[in-house]
Amino acid sequence: MSNFVFEDTIEKQVKKAQQRVDKLTQSLLGKVFRGELVPQDLADVLPRRQRR
């Protein structure tokens, strides 16, 4: 395998990995904003006047 072919293969792998990271980042941010990463305690979420 020539150096150019090897370099091209590595570059393609890096691009694919970056695309997967970008998708994962967006997925995680979505879960964070929807409150899906940890169990929710309504006492932490609702203002005091709504908890009565």
Side-chain angles (χ1 to χ4, degrees):
M1 183 181 289
S2 74
N3 285 343
F4 293 115
V5 173
F6 182 71
E7 183 179 318
D8 190 47
T9 301
I10 295 297
E11 185 178 348
K12 287 178 184 177
Q13 290 175 346
V14 168
K15 285 181 181 181
K16 285 181 183 178
Q18 184 62 52
Q19 290 171 345
R20 289 193 304 264
V21 167
D22 292 342
K23 287 180 183 177
L24 180 61
T25 300
Q26 290 301 315
S27 175
L28 284 172
L29 285 173
K31 286 182 178 285
V32 166
F33 284 107
R34 289 189 302 270
E36 296 176 359
L37 293 181
V38 295
Q40 297 297 305
D41 181 356
L42 290 180
D44 293 338
V45 177
L46 295 176
R48 285 182 186 244
R49 64 176 179 250
Q50 289 182 354
R51 282 188 261 157
R52 293 180 189 174

